[in-house]
Amino acid sequence: MTITHGAQTITRAIRALKILASQSYQGMRLVDLAREMQLERPTAHRLLKALMVEGMLVQDASSRRYTLGPLVFELGLASAHQFNLRDLCAPILEHLAEQTGDTAFLFVRSGNDAVCLSRVQGKYPIQTPAVPVGSRQPLGVSAGGLALLSSLSPTEIQTITQAIDARLSVYGDLDAAEIHRLCAQTKRTGYAWISNRAVPGVSAVGLAVKSENGTPVAAVAVAATMARMTEKRVLDILPCLQEAAKEVTNIFRA
């Protein structure tokens, strides 16, 4: 491969990623992407397959559409020193903790895990054992991770659930079937509510934050004791959580 040809391949790959980033979360078909890039279908297919191998793209098994893969987001996290999400979101989490009295969290996705990026403790007298900042758990275990997982396509949920299944049993005997049930519940209600999994005796509610093209990029959550976080309380604090998620969304889209 000549230098010129190599540079052309890189340019095409970057252009493909830009085109897919501009689309909605449904992604694009090979034929449409090839037409947009003015490439022959076999050439476009080889390019997309190479990007899939590297984790830059994923393909839905049923629709055959291509979307951005997890590595794209992880590379974005690696450049966070230029876009300090934790500092930018600190006032939002502080206000959320003040409003609810409970601990507010910010999660981001890293591969098949949810990483706790930040937390702010509220002033309610009884506080919960908290997920440590920087810790990671499989998607679906925490309220933030469940919100992120539930925002993905059914195929992605299935793939991730299969990949993390062996790691779930330590979280209150959680298993893949329960993860699927919780994802379905989250899609139905519009918010993730999970108890006694990430931390024993703790219940939390979370909402995903999506980028402009619909990709789930982060999640905000509020946690309290199971006795305190009743269904009524979840509904009471949901407007506060929705406002916080909206403000974090605005940061990503600024």
Side-chain angles (χ1 to χ4, degrees):
M1 179 183 291
T2 65
I3 295 177
T4 301
H5 182 66
Q8 182 186 55
T9 301
I10 293 171
T11 300
R12 285 175 172 173
I14 292 173
R15 184 162 179 239
L17 293 173
K18 286 181 176 180
I19 291 172
L20 285 166
S22 69
Q23 300 301 305
S24 65
Y25 66 93
Q26 287 93 348
M28 290 182 72
R29 300 180 302 165
L30 170 62
V31 61
D32 297 325
L33 190 58
R35 184 187 305 115
E36 181 75 17
M37 297 184 67
Q38 298 182 334
L39 294 176
E40 296 293 330
R41 286 180 62 178
T43 302
H45 186 257
R46 287 194 297 271
L47 178 65
L48 297 183
K49 286 297 182 184
L51 290 170
M52 285 180 62
V53 168
E54 297 300 326
M56 300 293 283
L57 296 182
V58 293
Q59 185 182 31
D60 187 278
S62 56
S63 70
R64 311 300 296 170
R65 290 175 178 268
Y66 294 88
T67 56
L68 296 180
L71 183 59
V72 174
F73 181 61
E74 291 183 46
L75 291 174
L77 290 178
S79 65
H81 62 284
Q82 298 181 28
F83 183 69
N84 197 328
L85 187 60
R86 180 177 178 178
D87 288 350
L88 290 173
C89 292
I92 301 171
L93 288 192
E94 290 167 2
H95 184 55
L96 183 59
E98 181 181 354
Q99 285 180 303
T100 63
D102 298 311
T103 305
F105 294 88
L106 176 68
F107 291 90
V108 293
R109 179 185 173 187
S110 176
N112 293 334
D113 292 344
V115 178
C116 178
L117 191 63
S118 182
R119 77 177 187 210
V120 176
Q121 196 170 50
K123 295 182 179 180
Y124 186 70
I126 302 176
Q127 290 294 318
T128 64
V131 174
V133 172
S135 65
R136 60 172 61 221
Q137 294 172 318
L139 289 170
V141 171
S142 65
L146 179 59
L148 285 165
L149 182 62
S150 301
S151 298
L152 299 174
S153 71
T155 300
E156 290 175 293
I157 292 174
Q158 178 64 28
T159 300
I160 291 171
T161 303
Q162 288 179 344
I164 66 176
D165 190 23
R167 302 165 56 200
L168 296 176
S169 61
V170 297
Y171 298 101
D173 293 326
L174 193 60
D175 58 22
E178 179 66 3
I179 288 286
H180 281 291
R181 186 192 70 79
L182 290 167
C183 283
Q185 174 182 289
T186 301
K187 287 179 179 291
R188 184 173 64 253
T189 61
Y191 57 86
W193 182 23
I194 188 169
S195 303
N196 206 34
R197 301 297 188 182
V199 180
V202 173
S203 182
V205 57
L207 290 176
V209 172
K210 298 181 180 180
S211 66
E212 196 167 1
N213 67 1
T215 302
V217 291
V220 289
V222 173
T225 63
M226 290 176 64
R228 176 167 166 80
M229 191 65 80
T230 62
E231 184 173 3
K232 180 182 182 302
R233 175 150 181 78
V234 167
L235 296 178
D236 286 343
I237 69 174
L238 192 56
C240 301
L241 194 60
Q242 290 169 333
E243 182 60 30
K246 181 180 178 181
E247 292 179 9
V248 176
T249 299
N250 290 338
I251 289 175
F252 275 99
R253 300 182 181 182

